[in-house]
Amino acid sequence: MAGKKREKADVIWLGNGSRASVPETAARLLPELKRRVRIVAEDFTGQKDMSAVKADYAVVLGGDGSVLRAIHQLGENQIPILAVNVGSLAFLSGLMPDDLIPFLDGNDFRAFPIQENVLLECSLWRRLSDVDARTAKAGPVNERDEVCVARKFAVNEVALLGGPPFEIIHVELSVDGESATTYHGDGVLISTSIGSTAHNLSSGGPIIRQGLDVVVISPLNPHSLSYRPVVDSADRVYELRILNREIFVVTDGDSSLSMLPGDRVVVRRAPVSLRLVRLPERGYYHALREKLGWSGQMEYLNR
């Protein structure tokens, strides 16, 4: 007797169409993919808003940058993401293109193992007296007479960075309302566990296993040797205030927000989580060895 026919899943099909190999790979996979799933929306520009599209999961072609764009396109609609690696550095996408169809054939989408990861919400607050009438209407006003002029999600990190003129910036940090310190240097990062292998790693911060509910606070080129990266809970609220000059608030490489002296940036856990389809055969340390080029070998001494 023939087996029960599997119900098709609804899928959002995304990728980086500007990458040379992605359109070709997408065209090659599409006929077989359509036999197995219903594609309810697709975009290979990285521009379309997918926050209102109802689907079971998203399939993303590309490297880590493509996955980051897809997460921002989904917004609060964080359905599980199956990332297919058509790139070089790919901590988030471990499935190779030729393995996609066999993977779908061998697994029921309802039974996909899902890894939940912290997303950060970054909000920029400005004193009402410092904004024009149009900006004041853009967001809610709090009890401090501040207006929220921007709110964004961050997958990897929130960074406060200086620009021209290049000089030391002074950033005050509070955690859950408790004053922590004032950083003097080139800036500050607040990174997720996923983002720990991005800007955080290159700035000397620690590698954190994906899925852990923590953040890393890393000072950038601090003016004192006593400043060190700190790992803390993702459930705390982190406030950063710039004291001396205009700087940039950068979320996952997007530097469209400027921060004025007296402004506050509030970083907290987002109301939704990043959900990645986990590949059981891909070990965490295997990924580190492969992506970071670790070449050390285990050696045993005969005594």
Side-chain angles (χ1 to χ4, degrees), residues 18-254:
S18 64
R19 195 179 187 96
S21 55
V22 169
E24 177 186 345
T25 303
R28 176 168 60 85
L29 294 175
L30 188 58
E32 291 299 321
L33 187 64
K34 283 184 173 179
R35 292 189 178 96
R36 292 160 175 82
V37 301
R38 286 186 296 269
I39 298 178
V40 296
E42 64 179 277
D43 177 45
F44 282 79
T45 69
Q47 301 300 316
K48 290 185 180 178
D49 183 358
M50 297 292 175
S51 61
V53 179
K54 295 186 181 299
D56 296 302
Y57 59 96
V59 177
V60 181
L61 286 182
D64 285 352
S66 301
V67 178
L68 287 178
R69 278 190 293 273
I71 294 165
H72 287 288
Q73 286 180 266
L74 292 170
E76 293 197 11
N77 181 30
Q78 289 299 317
I79 57 178
I81 292 175
L82 177 58
V84 182
N85 182 17
V86 188
S88 52
L89 187 63
F91 280 98
L92 302 180
S93 49
L95 193 67
M96 301 306 293
D98 290 341
D99 296 329
L100 174 60
I101 300 306
F103 181 82
L104 294 177
D105 286 341
N107 296 272
D108 186 338
F109 75 90
R110 296 180 186 82
F112 282 173
I114 305 298
Q115 178 181 288
E116 300 273 346
N117 298 274
V118 170
L119 281 177
L120 298 178
E121 179 187 82
C122 167
S123 55
L124 175 61
W125 294 85
R126 182 165 296 159
R127 290 173 298 201
L128 197 57
S129 58
D130 292 338
V131 300
D132 56 32
R134 181 177 178 182
T135 305
K137 295 178 182 178
V141 177
N142 64 14
E143 67 281 357
R144 303 186 189 186
D145 283 333
E146 297 171 319
V147 61
C148 182
V149 297
R151 193 183 304 272
K152 292 187 174 185
F153 284 170
V155 182
N156 280 342
E157 73 276 312
V158 176
L160 271 60
L161 304 174
F166 296 100
E167 58 186 30
I168 288 177
I169 63 175
H170 308 299
V171 180
E172 186 179 76
L173 170 69
S174 298
V175 181
D176 283 347
E178 178 186 358
S179 178
T181 189
T182 299
Y183 292 110
H184 309 281
D186 288 347
V188 182
L189 298 175
I190 298 184
S191 308
T192 64
S193 56
I194 279 184
S196 70
T197 51
H199 196 169
N200 168 75
L201 182 61
S202 66
S203 65
I207 297 173
I208 305 295
R209 178 183 280 271
Q210 289 184 11
L212 292 181
D213 290 356
V214 298
V215 299
V216 185
I217 309 167
S218 298
L220 299 177
N221 298 324
H223 197 50
S224 170
L225 294 177
S226 65
Y227 291 126
R228 289 292 184 268
V230 175
V231 178
D232 204 341
S233 169
D235 291 320
R236 300 194 184 281
V237 177
Y238 301 89
E239 288 190 18
L240 300 146
R241 187 187 296 273
I242 181 67
L243 301 180
N244 63 319
R245 48 162 295 196
E246 182 177 359
I247 63 168
F248 295 97
V249 181
V250 182
T251 54
D252 294 339
D254 179 2

